Every structure is written in C-alpha cells, then in structure tokens.
PDB file of all heavy atoms in Angstrom:
ATOM      1  N   GLU A   1       4.627  29.319  -4.599  1.00  0.00           N
ATOM      2  CA  GLU A   1       5.494  28.201  -5.120  1.00  0.00           C
ATOM      3  C   GLU A   1       5.241  26.895  -4.391  1.00  0.00           C
ATOM      4  O   GLU A   1       5.164  26.804  -3.207  1.00  0.00           O
ATOM      5  CB  GLU A   1       6.948  28.626  -4.987  1.00  0.00           C
ATOM      6  CG  GLU A   1       7.515  28.878  -3.602  1.00  0.00           C
ATOM      7  CD  GLU A   1       9.057  29.042  -3.660  1.00  0.00           C
ATOM      8  OE1 GLU A   1       9.518  30.144  -4.071  1.00  0.00           O
ATOM      9  OE2 GLU A   1       9.733  28.092  -3.277  1.00  0.00           O
ATOM     10  N   ASN A   2       5.048  25.874  -5.243  1.00  0.00           N
ATOM     11  CA  ASN A   2       5.026  24.504  -4.800  1.00  0.00           C
ATOM     12  C   ASN A   2       4.022  24.246  -3.674  1.00  0.00           C
ATOM     13  O   ASN A   2       4.372  23.597  -2.693  1.00  0.00           O
ATOM     14  CB  ASN A   2       6.431  24.061  -4.373  1.00  0.00           C
ATOM     15  CG  ASN A   2       6.541  22.523  -4.451  1.00  0.00           C
ATOM     16  OD1 ASN A   2       5.898  21.904  -5.271  1.00  0.00           O
ATOM     17  ND2 ASN A   2       7.418  21.984  -3.651  1.00  0.00           N
ATOM     18  N   LEU A   3       2.755  24.722  -3.823  1.00  0.00           N
ATOM     19  CA  LEU A   3       1.767  24.449  -2.825  1.00  0.00           C
ATOM     20  C   LEU A   3       1.289  22.998  -2.966  1.00  0.00           C
ATOM     21  O   LEU A   3       0.933  22.556  -4.012  1.00  0.00           O
ATOM     22  CB  LEU A   3       0.607  25.349  -2.964  1.00  0.00           C
ATOM     23  CG  LEU A   3       0.795  26.857  -2.839  1.00  0.00           C
ATOM     24  CD1 LEU A   3      -0.548  27.587  -2.846  1.00  0.00           C
ATOM     25  CD2 LEU A   3       1.537  27.217  -1.559  1.00  0.00           C
ATOM     26  N   ARG A   4       1.305  22.272  -1.858  1.00  0.00           N
ATOM     27  CA  ARG A   4       0.829  20.917  -1.782  1.00  0.00           C
ATOM     28  C   ARG A   4      -0.062  20.758  -0.589  1.00  0.00           C
ATOM     29  O   ARG A   4       0.384  21.018   0.539  1.00  0.00           O
ATOM     30  CB  ARG A   4       2.030  19.917  -1.712  1.00  0.00           C
ATOM     31  CG  ARG A   4       2.784  19.813  -3.034  1.00  0.00           C
ATOM     32  CD  ARG A   4       4.019  18.913  -2.865  1.00  0.00           C
ATOM     33  NE  ARG A   4       5.089  19.646  -2.226  1.00  0.00           N
ATOM     34  CZ  ARG A   4       6.228  19.081  -1.857  1.00  0.00           C
ATOM     35  NH1 ARG A   4       6.392  17.737  -1.981  1.00  0.00           N
ATOM     36  NH2 ARG A   4       7.180  19.804  -1.279  1.00  0.00           N
ATOM     37  N   LEU A   5      -1.338  20.348  -0.799  1.00  0.00           N
ATOM     38  CA  LEU A   5      -2.336  20.394   0.259  1.00  0.00           C
ATOM     39  C   LEU A   5      -3.462  19.446  -0.070  1.00  0.00           C
ATOM     40  O   LEU A   5      -3.839  19.298  -1.200  1.00  0.00           O
ATOM     41  CB  LEU A   5      -2.810  21.833   0.295  1.00  0.00           C
ATOM     42  CG  LEU A   5      -3.740  22.302   1.462  1.00  0.00           C
ATOM     43  CD1 LEU A   5      -2.971  22.245   2.786  1.00  0.00           C
ATOM     44  CD2 LEU A   5      -4.188  23.722   1.173  1.00  0.00           C
ATOM     45  N   ASP A   6      -3.982  18.813   0.953  1.00  0.00           N
ATOM     46  CA  ASP A   6      -5.196  18.037   0.817  1.00  0.00           C
ATOM     47  C   ASP A   6      -6.196  18.475   1.918  1.00  0.00           C
ATOM     48  O   ASP A   6      -5.840  18.488   3.083  1.00  0.00           O
ATOM     49  CB  ASP A   6      -4.890  16.523   1.033  1.00  0.00           C
ATOM     50  CG  ASP A   6      -4.176  15.949  -0.169  1.00  0.00           C
ATOM     51  OD1 ASP A   6      -4.732  15.968  -1.259  1.00  0.00           O
ATOM     52  OD2 ASP A   6      -3.057  15.504  -0.033  1.00  0.00           O
ATOM     53  N   ILE A   7      -7.387  18.850   1.496  1.00  0.00           N
ATOM     54  CA  ILE A   7      -8.386  19.371   2.352  1.00  0.00           C
ATOM     55  C   ILE A   7      -9.609  18.366   2.344  1.00  0.00           C
ATOM     56  O   ILE A   7     -10.137  18.055   1.249  1.00  0.00           O
ATOM     57  CB  ILE A   7      -8.898  20.737   1.971  1.00  0.00           C
ATOM     58  CG1 ILE A   7      -7.745  21.717   1.955  1.00  0.00           C
ATOM     59  CG2 ILE A   7      -9.980  21.254   2.885  1.00  0.00           C
ATOM     60  CD1 ILE A   7      -7.060  21.931   3.297  1.00  0.00           C
ATOM     61  N   ALA A   8     -10.033  17.889   3.551  1.00  0.00           N
ATOM     62  CA  ALA A   8     -11.131  16.980   3.574  1.00  0.00           C
ATOM     63  C   ALA A   8     -12.440  17.663   3.453  1.00  0.00           C
ATOM     64  O   ALA A   8     -12.586  18.945   3.579  1.00  0.00           O
ATOM     65  CB  ALA A   8     -11.044  16.219   4.908  1.00  0.00           C
ATOM     66  N   ASP A   9     -13.496  16.922   3.160  1.00  0.00           N
ATOM     67  CA  ASP A   9     -14.799  17.499   3.077  1.00  0.00           C
ATOM     68  C   ASP A   9     -15.235  18.140   4.414  1.00  0.00           C
ATOM     69  O   ASP A   9     -14.959  17.635   5.483  1.00  0.00           O
ATOM     70  CB  ASP A   9     -15.807  16.377   2.697  1.00  0.00           C
ATOM     71  CG  ASP A   9     -17.269  16.813   2.639  1.00  0.00           C
ATOM     72  OD1 ASP A   9     -17.480  17.887   2.001  1.00  0.00           O
ATOM     73  OD2 ASP A   9     -18.114  16.203   3.225  1.00  0.00           O
ATOM     74  N   HIS A  10     -15.889  19.317   4.288  1.00  0.00           N
ATOM     75  CA  HIS A  10     -16.479  20.040   5.436  1.00  0.00           C
ATOM     76  C   HIS A  10     -15.431  20.571   6.380  1.00  0.00           C
ATOM     77  O   HIS A  10     -15.706  20.907   7.541  1.00  0.00           O
ATOM     78  CB  HIS A  10     -17.471  19.160   6.193  1.00  0.00           C
ATOM     79  CG  HIS A  10     -18.355  19.904   7.137  1.00  0.00           C
ATOM     80  ND1 HIS A  10     -18.960  21.022   6.803  1.00  0.00           N
ATOM     81  CD2 HIS A  10     -18.626  19.653   8.451  1.00  0.00           C
ATOM     82  CE1 HIS A  10     -19.676  21.467   7.851  1.00  0.00           C
ATOM     83  NE2 HIS A  10     -19.509  20.678   8.874  1.00  0.00           N
ATOM     84  N   GLU A  11     -14.193  20.770   5.962  1.00  0.00           N
ATOM     85  CA  GLU A  11     -13.207  21.516   6.747  1.00  0.00           C
ATOM     86  C   GLU A  11     -13.443  22.981   6.665  1.00  0.00           C
ATOM     87  O   GLU A  11     -13.974  23.511   5.670  1.00  0.00           O
ATOM     88  CB  GLU A  11     -11.791  21.152   6.331  1.00  0.00           C
ATOM     89  CG  GLU A  11     -11.287  19.800   6.787  1.00  0.00           C
ATOM     90  CD  GLU A  11      -9.760  19.775   6.851  1.00  0.00           C
ATOM     91  OE1 GLU A  11      -9.194  20.439   7.770  1.00  0.00           O
ATOM     92  OE2 GLU A  11      -9.116  19.118   6.045  1.00  0.00           O
ATOM     93  N   PHE A  12     -13.064  23.674   7.703  1.00  0.00           N
ATOM     94  CA  PHE A  12     -13.115  25.147   7.768  1.00  0.00           C
ATOM     95  C   PHE A  12     -11.667  25.608   7.805  1.00  0.00           C
ATOM     96  O   PHE A  12     -11.056  25.579   8.914  1.00  0.00           O
ATOM     97  CB  PHE A  12     -13.937  25.648   8.916  1.00  0.00           C
ATOM     98  CG  PHE A  12     -14.320  27.131   8.826  1.00  0.00           C
ATOM     99  CD1 PHE A  12     -15.667  27.486   8.992  1.00  0.00           C
ATOM    100  CD2 PHE A  12     -13.398  28.106   8.578  1.00  0.00           C
ATOM    101  CE1 PHE A  12     -16.056  28.802   8.946  1.00  0.00           C
ATOM    102  CE2 PHE A  12     -13.761  29.444   8.524  1.00  0.00           C
ATOM    103  CZ  PHE A  12     -15.105  29.777   8.715  1.00  0.00           C
ATOM    104  N   VAL A  13     -11.093  26.006   6.654  1.00  0.00           N
ATOM    105  CA  VAL A  13      -9.677  26.327   6.590  1.00  0.00           C
ATOM    106  C   VAL A  13      -9.526  27.839   6.681  1.00  0.00           C
ATOM    107  O   VAL A  13     -10.080  28.582   5.861  1.00  0.00           O
ATOM    108  CB  VAL A  13      -9.101  25.842   5.291  1.00  0.00           C
ATOM    109  CG1 VAL A  13      -7.603  26.148   5.214  1.00  0.00           C
ATOM    110  CG2 VAL A  13      -9.329  24.303   5.138  1.00  0.00           C
ATOM    111  N   THR A  14      -8.775  28.321   7.704  1.00  0.00           N
ATOM    112  CA  THR A  14      -8.482  29.722   7.803  1.00  0.00           C
ATOM    113  C   THR A  14      -7.051  29.938   7.315  1.00  0.00           C
ATOM    114  O   THR A  14      -6.218  29.126   7.590  1.00  0.00           O
ATOM    115  CB  THR A  14      -8.664  30.267   9.226  1.00  0.00           C
ATOM    116  OG1 THR A  14      -7.978  29.430  10.151  1.00  0.00           O
ATOM    117  CG2 THR A  14     -10.127  30.275   9.564  1.00  0.00           C
ATOM    118  N   ILE A  15      -6.798  31.076   6.620  1.00  0.00           N
ATOM    119  CA  ILE A  15      -5.501  31.386   6.013  1.00  0.00           C
ATOM    120  C   ILE A  15      -5.043  32.730   6.488  1.00  0.00           C
ATOM    121  O   ILE A  15      -5.749  33.738   6.350  1.00  0.00           O
ATOM    122  CB  ILE A  15      -5.650  31.343   4.500  1.00  0.00           C
ATOM    123  CG1 ILE A  15      -6.207  29.970   4.001  1.00  0.00           C
ATOM    124  CG2 ILE A  15      -4.279  31.607   3.841  1.00  0.00           C
ATOM    125  CD1 ILE A  15      -6.599  30.005   2.568  1.00  0.00           C
ATOM    126  N   VAL A  16      -3.819  32.776   7.065  1.00  0.00           N
ATOM    127  CA  VAL A  16      -3.213  34.054   7.502  1.00  0.00           C
ATOM    128  C   VAL A  16      -1.887  34.170   6.777  1.00  0.00           C
ATOM    129  O   VAL A  16      -1.267  33.237   6.306  1.00  0.00           O
ATOM    130  CB  VAL A  16      -3.098  34.120   9.022  1.00  0.00           C
ATOM    131  CG1 VAL A  16      -4.487  34.014   9.686  1.00  0.00           C
ATOM    132  CG2 VAL A  16      -2.212  32.995   9.574  1.00  0.00           C
ATOM    133  N   GLY A  17      -1.332  35.438   6.910  1.00  0.00           N
ATOM    134  CA  GLY A  17      -0.012  35.674   6.388  1.00  0.00           C
ATOM    135  C   GLY A  17       0.170  37.142   6.082  1.00  0.00           C
ATOM    136  O   GLY A  17      -0.815  37.897   6.123  1.00  0.00           O
ATOM    137  N   ALA A  18       1.339  37.551   5.822  1.00  0.00           N
ATOM    138  CA  ALA A  18       1.628  39.012   5.586  1.00  0.00           C
ATOM    139  C   ALA A  18       0.948  39.436   4.299  1.00  0.00           C
ATOM    140  O   ALA A  18       0.645  38.632   3.425  1.00  0.00           O
ATOM    141  CB  ALA A  18       3.183  39.195   5.488  1.00  0.00           C
ATOM    142  N   SER A  19       0.721  40.728   4.216  1.00  0.00           N
ATOM    143  CA  SER A  19       0.133  41.320   2.992  1.00  0.00           C
ATOM    144  C   SER A  19       1.026  41.010   1.800  1.00  0.00           C
ATOM    145  O   SER A  19       2.256  41.121   1.883  1.00  0.00           O
ATOM    146  CB  SER A  19      -0.022  42.864   3.125  1.00  0.00           C
ATOM    147  OG  SER A  19      -0.948  43.162   4.176  1.00  0.00           O
ATOM    148  N   GLY A  20       0.412  40.624   0.680  1.00  0.00           N
ATOM    149  CA  GLY A  20       1.164  40.388  -0.511  1.00  0.00           C
ATOM    150  C   GLY A  20       1.741  38.997  -0.647  1.00  0.00           C
ATOM    151  O   GLY A  20       2.560  38.751  -1.582  1.00  0.00           O
ATOM    152  N   CYS A  21       1.395  38.060   0.290  1.00  0.00           N
ATOM    153  CA  CYS A  21       2.011  36.747   0.247  1.00  0.00           C
ATOM    154  C   CYS A  21       1.163  35.739  -0.522  1.00  0.00           C
ATOM    155  O   CYS A  21       1.463  34.531  -0.457  1.00  0.00           O
ATOM    156  CB  CYS A  21       2.343  36.259   1.668  1.00  0.00           C
ATOM    157  SG  CYS A  21       0.869  35.845   2.651  1.00  0.00           S
ATOM    158  N   GLY A  22       0.146  36.201  -1.242  1.00  0.00           N
ATOM    159  CA  GLY A  22      -0.534  35.317  -2.143  1.00  0.00           C
ATOM    160  C   GLY A  22      -1.810  34.665  -1.595  1.00  0.00           C
ATOM    161  O   GLY A  22      -2.421  33.815  -2.243  1.00  0.00           O
ATOM    162  N   LYS A  23      -2.345  35.122  -0.452  1.00  0.00           N
ATOM    163  CA  LYS A  23      -3.526  34.540   0.113  1.00  0.00           C
ATOM    164  C   LYS A  23      -4.766  34.706  -0.794  1.00  0.00           C
ATOM    165  O   LYS A  23      -5.469  33.736  -1.084  1.00  0.00           O
ATOM    166  CB  LYS A  23      -3.860  35.101   1.510  1.00  0.00           C
ATOM    167  CG  LYS A  23      -2.710  35.037   2.471  1.00  0.00           C
ATOM    168  CD  LYS A  23      -3.051  35.559   3.866  1.00  0.00           C
ATOM    169  CE  LYS A  23      -3.509  37.043   3.866  1.00  0.00           C
ATOM    170  NZ  LYS A  23      -2.373  37.929   3.462  1.00  0.00           N
ATOM    171  N   SER A  24      -4.948  35.954  -1.226  1.00  0.00           N
ATOM    172  CA  SER A  24      -6.110  36.169  -2.162  1.00  0.00           C
ATOM    173  C   SER A  24      -5.933  35.576  -3.500  1.00  0.00           C
ATOM    174  O   SER A  24      -6.822  35.119  -4.142  1.00  0.00           O
ATOM    175  CB  SER A  24      -6.348  37.704  -2.275  1.00  0.00           C
ATOM    176  OG  SER A  24      -6.730  38.293  -1.026  1.00  0.00           O
ATOM    177  N   THR A  25      -4.626  35.507  -3.926  1.00  0.00           N
ATOM    178  CA  THR A  25      -4.365  34.832  -5.225  1.00  0.00           C
ATOM    179  C   THR A  25      -4.795  33.338  -5.106  1.00  0.00           C
ATOM    180  O   THR A  25      -5.398  32.830  -6.065  1.00  0.00           O
ATOM    181  CB  THR A  25      -2.878  34.946  -5.553  1.00  0.00           C
ATOM    182  OG1 THR A  25      -2.527  36.311  -5.679  1.00  0.00           O
ATOM    183  CG2 THR A  25      -2.523  34.190  -6.793  1.00  0.00           C
ATOM    184  N   PHE A  26      -4.484  32.739  -3.950  1.00  0.00           N
ATOM    185  CA  PHE A  26      -4.877  31.343  -3.784  1.00  0.00           C
ATOM    186  C   PHE A  26      -6.399  31.179  -3.846  1.00  0.00           C
ATOM    187  O   PHE A  26      -6.910  30.237  -4.470  1.00  0.00           O
ATOM    188  CB  PHE A  26      -4.357  30.872  -2.452  1.00  0.00           C
ATOM    189  CG  PHE A  26      -4.677  29.424  -2.104  1.00  0.00           C
ATOM    190  CD1 PHE A  26      -4.252  28.389  -2.947  1.00  0.00           C
ATOM    191  CD2 PHE A  26      -5.413  29.095  -0.970  1.00  0.00           C
ATOM    192  CE1 PHE A  26      -4.617  27.079  -2.676  1.00  0.00           C
ATOM    193  CE2 PHE A  26      -5.722  27.752  -0.666  1.00  0.00           C
ATOM    194  CZ  PHE A  26      -5.322  26.779  -1.548  1.00  0.00           C
ATOM    195  N   LEU A  27      -7.150  32.111  -3.255  1.00  0.00           N
ATOM    196  CA  LEU A  27      -8.592  32.043  -3.358  1.00  0.00           C
ATOM    197  C   LEU A  27      -9.077  32.205  -4.839  1.00  0.00           C
ATOM    198  O   LEU A  27      -9.986  31.470  -5.237  1.00  0.00           O
ATOM    199  CB  LEU A  27      -9.273  33.106  -2.524  1.00  0.00           C
ATOM    200  CG  LEU A  27      -9.233  33.000  -1.008  1.00  0.00           C
ATOM    201  CD1 LEU A  27     -10.216  33.957  -0.368  1.00  0.00           C
ATOM    202  CD2 LEU A  27      -9.532  31.536  -0.562  1.00  0.00           C
ATOM    203  N   ARG A  28      -8.449  33.052  -5.585  1.00  0.00           N
ATOM    204  CA  ARG A  28      -8.823  33.196  -6.966  1.00  0.00           C
ATOM    205  C   ARG A  28      -8.510  31.968  -7.777  1.00  0.00           C
ATOM    206  O   ARG A  28      -9.233  31.606  -8.720  1.00  0.00           O
ATOM    207  CB  ARG A  28      -8.098  34.441  -7.590  1.00  0.00           C
ATOM    208  CG  ARG A  28      -8.605  35.766  -7.040  1.00  0.00           C
ATOM    209  CD  ARG A  28      -8.141  36.928  -7.908  1.00  0.00           C
ATOM    210  NE  ARG A  28      -6.738  37.134  -7.874  1.00  0.00           N
ATOM    211  CZ  ARG A  28      -6.036  37.834  -7.016  1.00  0.00           C
ATOM    212  NH1 ARG A  28      -6.681  38.470  -6.036  1.00  0.00           N
ATOM    213  NH2 ARG A  28      -4.747  37.970  -7.091  1.00  0.00           N
ATOM    214  N   LEU A  29      -7.481  31.261  -7.442  1.00  0.00           N
ATOM    215  CA  LEU A  29      -7.198  29.959  -8.071  1.00  0.00           C
ATOM    216  C   LEU A  29      -8.242  28.920  -7.759  1.00  0.00           C
ATOM    217  O   LEU A  29      -8.683  28.182  -8.588  1.00  0.00           O
ATOM    218  CB  LEU A  29      -5.804  29.398  -7.620  1.00  0.00           C
ATOM    219  CG  LEU A  29      -4.577  30.218  -8.031  1.00  0.00           C
ATOM    220  CD1 LEU A  29      -3.327  29.614  -7.390  1.00  0.00           C
ATOM    221  CD2 LEU A  29      -4.420  30.267  -9.514  1.00  0.00           C
ATOM    222  N   LEU A  30      -8.690  28.919  -6.503  1.00  0.00           N
ATOM    223  CA  LEU A  30      -9.818  27.986  -6.140  1.00  0.00           C
ATOM    224  C   LEU A  30     -11.128  28.417  -6.841  1.00  0.00           C
ATOM    225  O   LEU A  30     -11.904  27.538  -7.145  1.00  0.00           O
ATOM    226  CB  LEU A  30      -9.991  28.020  -4.618  1.00  0.00           C
ATOM    227  CG  LEU A  30      -8.890  27.413  -3.780  1.00  0.00           C
ATOM    228  CD1 LEU A  30      -9.068  27.704  -2.274  1.00  0.00           C
ATOM    229  CD2 LEU A  30      -8.760  25.898  -4.031  1.00  0.00           C
ATOM    230  N   LEU A  31     -11.343  29.688  -6.980  1.00  0.00           N
ATOM    231  CA  LEU A  31     -12.577  30.159  -7.619  1.00  0.00           C
ATOM    232  C   LEU A  31     -12.552  29.848  -9.126  1.00  0.00           C
ATOM    233  O   LEU A  31     -13.592  29.621  -9.706  1.00  0.00           O
ATOM    234  CB  LEU A  31     -12.739  31.672  -7.405  1.00  0.00           C
ATOM    235  CG  LEU A  31     -14.016  32.313  -7.914  1.00  0.00           C
ATOM    236  CD1 LEU A  31     -15.248  31.670  -7.261  1.00  0.00           C
ATOM    237  CD2 LEU A  31     -13.954  33.812  -7.719  1.00  0.00           C
ATOM    238  N   GLY A  32     -11.345  29.915  -9.702  1.00  0.00           N
ATOM    239  CA  GLY A  32     -11.240  29.650 -11.134  1.00  0.00           C
ATOM    240  C   GLY A  32     -11.100  30.852 -11.988  1.00  0.00           C
ATOM    241  O   GLY A  32     -11.062  30.825 -13.218  1.00  0.00           O
ATOM    242  N   THR A  33     -11.032  32.037 -11.323  1.00  0.00           N
ATOM    243  CA  THR A  33     -10.829  33.296 -12.103  1.00  0.00           C
ATOM    244  C   THR A  33      -9.339  33.422 -12.522  1.00  0.00           C
ATOM    245  O   THR A  33      -9.040  34.241 -13.442  1.00  0.00           O
ATOM    246  CB  THR A  33     -11.245  34.504 -11.314  1.00  0.00           C
ATOM    247  OG1 THR A  33     -10.544  34.547 -10.065  1.00  0.00           O
ATOM    248  CG2 THR A  33     -12.749  34.482 -11.049  1.00  0.00           C
ATOM    249  N   GLU A  34      -8.453  32.688 -11.944  1.00  0.00           N
ATOM    250  CA  GLU A  34      -7.082  32.566 -12.328  1.00  0.00           C
ATOM    251  C   GLU A  34      -6.674  31.133 -12.373  1.00  0.00           C
ATOM    252  O   GLU A  34      -7.266  30.314 -11.617  1.00  0.00           O
ATOM    253  CB  GLU A  34      -6.108  33.409 -11.447  1.00  0.00           C
ATOM    254  CG  GLU A  34      -6.420  34.898 -11.444  1.00  0.00           C
ATOM    255  CD  GLU A  34      -5.265  35.707 -10.856  1.00  0.00           C
ATOM    256  OE1 GLU A  34      -4.124  35.274 -10.960  1.00  0.00           O
ATOM    257  OE2 GLU A  34      -5.625  36.786 -10.284  1.00  0.00           O
ATOM    258  N   GLN A  35      -5.647  30.862 -13.161  1.00  0.00           N
ATOM    259  CA  GLN A  35      -5.216  29.427 -13.297  1.00  0.00           C
ATOM    260  C   GLN A  35      -3.754  29.361 -12.855  1.00  0.00           C
ATOM    261  O   GLN A  35      -2.992  30.310 -12.942  1.00  0.00           O
ATOM    262  CB  GLN A  35      -5.326  28.929 -14.748  1.00  0.00           C
ATOM    263  CG  GLN A  35      -6.725  28.591 -15.185  1.00  0.00           C
ATOM    264  CD  GLN A  35      -7.637  29.836 -15.316  1.00  0.00           C
ATOM    265  OE1 GLN A  35      -7.235  30.758 -15.961  1.00  0.00           O
ATOM    266  NE2 GLN A  35      -8.772  29.825 -14.660  1.00  0.00           N
ATOM    267  N   PRO A  36      -3.352  28.185 -12.276  1.00  0.00           N
ATOM    268  CA  PRO A  36      -1.976  28.001 -11.871  1.00  0.00           C
ATOM    269  C   PRO A  36      -1.002  28.140 -13.056  1.00  0.00           C
ATOM    270  O   PRO A  36      -1.370  27.714 -14.174  1.00  0.00           O
ATOM    271  CB  PRO A  36      -1.934  26.614 -11.282  1.00  0.00           C
ATOM    272  CG  PRO A  36      -3.318  26.242 -10.988  1.00  0.00           C
ATOM    273  CD  PRO A  36      -4.171  27.008 -11.987  1.00  0.00           C
ATOM    274  N   THR A  37       0.161  28.676 -12.851  1.00  0.00           N
ATOM    275  CA  THR A  37       1.184  28.664 -13.886  1.00  0.00           C
ATOM    276  C   THR A  37       1.624  27.217 -14.125  1.00  0.00           C
ATOM    277  O   THR A  37       1.934  26.785 -15.246  1.00  0.00           O
ATOM    278  CB  THR A  37       2.386  29.483 -13.456  1.00  0.00           C
ATOM    279  OG1 THR A  37       1.907  30.834 -13.110  1.00  0.00           O
ATOM    280  CG2 THR A  37       3.411  29.603 -14.530  1.00  0.00           C
ATOM    281  N   SER A  38       1.745  26.417 -13.055  1.00  0.00           N
ATOM    282  CA  SER A  38       1.978  24.984 -13.158  1.00  0.00           C
ATOM    283  C   SER A  38       1.363  24.322 -11.981  1.00  0.00           C
ATOM    284  O   SER A  38       1.025  24.918 -10.999  1.00  0.00           O
ATOM    285  CB  SER A  38       3.512  24.718 -13.221  1.00  0.00           C
ATOM    286  OG  SER A  38       4.173  25.154 -12.038  1.00  0.00           O
ATOM    287  N   GLY A  39       1.260  22.984 -12.106  1.00  0.00           N
ATOM    288  CA  GLY A  39       0.563  22.225 -11.056  1.00  0.00           C
ATOM    289  C   GLY A  39      -0.948  22.182 -11.322  1.00  0.00           C
ATOM    290  O   GLY A  39      -1.451  22.618 -12.335  1.00  0.00           O
ATOM    291  N   SER A  40      -1.690  21.594 -10.370  1.00  0.00           N
ATOM    292  CA  SER A  40      -3.126  21.427 -10.556  1.00  0.00           C
ATOM    293  C   SER A  40      -3.896  21.472  -9.260  1.00  0.00           C
ATOM    294  O   SER A  40      -3.337  21.231  -8.192  1.00  0.00           O
ATOM    295  CB  SER A  40      -3.410  20.096 -11.279  1.00  0.00           C
ATOM    296  OG  SER A  40      -2.961  18.993 -10.444  1.00  0.00           O
ATOM    297  N   ILE A  41      -5.173  21.813  -9.405  1.00  0.00           N
ATOM    298  CA  ILE A  41      -6.125  21.780  -8.246  1.00  0.00           C
ATOM    299  C   ILE A  41      -7.251  20.892  -8.570  1.00  0.00           C
ATOM    300  O   ILE A  41      -7.891  21.061  -9.644  1.00  0.00           O
ATOM    301  CB  ILE A  41      -6.610  23.261  -7.904  1.00  0.00           C
ATOM    302  CG1 ILE A  41      -5.426  24.148  -7.585  1.00  0.00           C
ATOM    303  CG2 ILE A  41      -7.580  23.215  -6.755  1.00  0.00           C
ATOM    304  CD1 ILE A  41      -5.805  25.548  -7.271  1.00  0.00           C
ATOM    305  N   LEU A  42      -7.543  19.957  -7.733  1.00  0.00           N
ATOM    306  CA  LEU A  42      -8.647  18.991  -7.943  1.00  0.00           C
ATOM    307  C   LEU A  42      -9.746  19.223  -6.914  1.00  0.00           C
ATOM    308  O   LEU A  42      -9.430  19.468  -5.740  1.00  0.00           O
ATOM    309  CB  LEU A  42      -8.089  17.573  -7.846  1.00  0.00           C
ATOM    310  CG  LEU A  42      -6.901  17.183  -8.694  1.00  0.00           C
ATOM    311  CD1 LEU A  42      -6.517  15.787  -8.403  1.00  0.00           C
ATOM    312  CD2 LEU A  42      -7.193  17.376 -10.148  1.00  0.00           C
ATOM    313  N   ILE A  43     -10.979  19.142  -7.338  1.00  0.00           N
ATOM    314  CA  ILE A  43     -12.133  19.183  -6.441  1.00  0.00           C
ATOM    315  C   ILE A  43     -12.814  17.859  -6.616  1.00  0.00           C
ATOM    316  O   ILE A  43     -13.224  17.484  -7.690  1.00  0.00           O
ATOM    317  CB  ILE A  43     -13.072  20.318  -6.732  1.00  0.00           C
ATOM    318  CG1 ILE A  43     -12.412  21.669  -6.484  1.00  0.00           C
ATOM    319  CG2 ILE A  43     -14.322  20.264  -5.881  1.00  0.00           C
ATOM    320  CD1 ILE A  43     -13.257  22.888  -6.819  1.00  0.00           C
ATOM    321  N   ASP A  44     -12.929  17.086  -5.543  1.00  0.00           N
ATOM    322  CA  ASP A  44     -13.489  15.736  -5.556  1.00  0.00           C
ATOM    323  C   ASP A  44     -12.834  14.891  -6.593  1.00  0.00           C
ATOM    324  O   ASP A  44     -13.428  14.127  -7.323  1.00  0.00           O
ATOM    325  CB  ASP A  44     -15.004  15.819  -5.781  1.00  0.00           C
ATOM    326  CG  ASP A  44     -15.767  16.419  -4.657  1.00  0.00           C
ATOM    327  OD1 ASP A  44     -15.266  16.394  -3.528  1.00  0.00           O
ATOM    328  OD2 ASP A  44     -16.876  16.971  -4.882  1.00  0.00           O
ATOM    329  N   GLY A  45     -11.524  15.064  -6.757  1.00  0.00           N
ATOM    330  CA  GLY A  45     -10.709  14.253  -7.625  1.00  0.00           C
ATOM    331  C   GLY A  45     -10.728  14.651  -9.079  1.00  0.00           C
ATOM    332  O   GLY A  45     -10.078  14.034  -9.918  1.00  0.00           O
TER     333      GLY A  45
END
C-alpha cells in the first residue's frame, strides 16, 4: 500500500522484511510480470 520511492542510477537497494510482506511482489512489479492495482512505476521517467 502506497509505496513512494525514488531510486538513483547505480544504487544497490537491499530489501528485507517478514515473509509474506510483499518483497517478491515488488520485484515482480519492477520486472513487469505483474502490474500495480493503482499508482505507477517509472524507469528513467
């Protein structure tokens, strides 16, 4: 819910959290195999 984030070029972002809290879902959104229910993800704008 309501993820807001800006990542600069060449950052190495590590993600931790309890099992089932959406970490892998977030990767699938970045990969494009799943789409957000609402909101948007931009790569290079």
Side-chain angles (χ1 to χ4, degrees):
E1 64 172 73
N2 201 29
L3 297 188
R4 288 175 280 172
L5 190 64
D6 287 298
I7 301 297
D9 179 46
H10 194 47
E11 283 206 69
F12 195 128
V13 181
T14 52
I15 304 170
V16 297
S19 296
C21 68
K23 304 183 300 296
S24 294
T25 298
F26 180 59
L27 288 194
R28 291 194 295 272
L29 294 175
L30 292 172
L31 184 63
T33 55
E34 296 194 30
Q35 284 70 53
T37 304
S38 62
S40 61
I41 300 177
L42 309 178
I43 296 178
D44 293 336

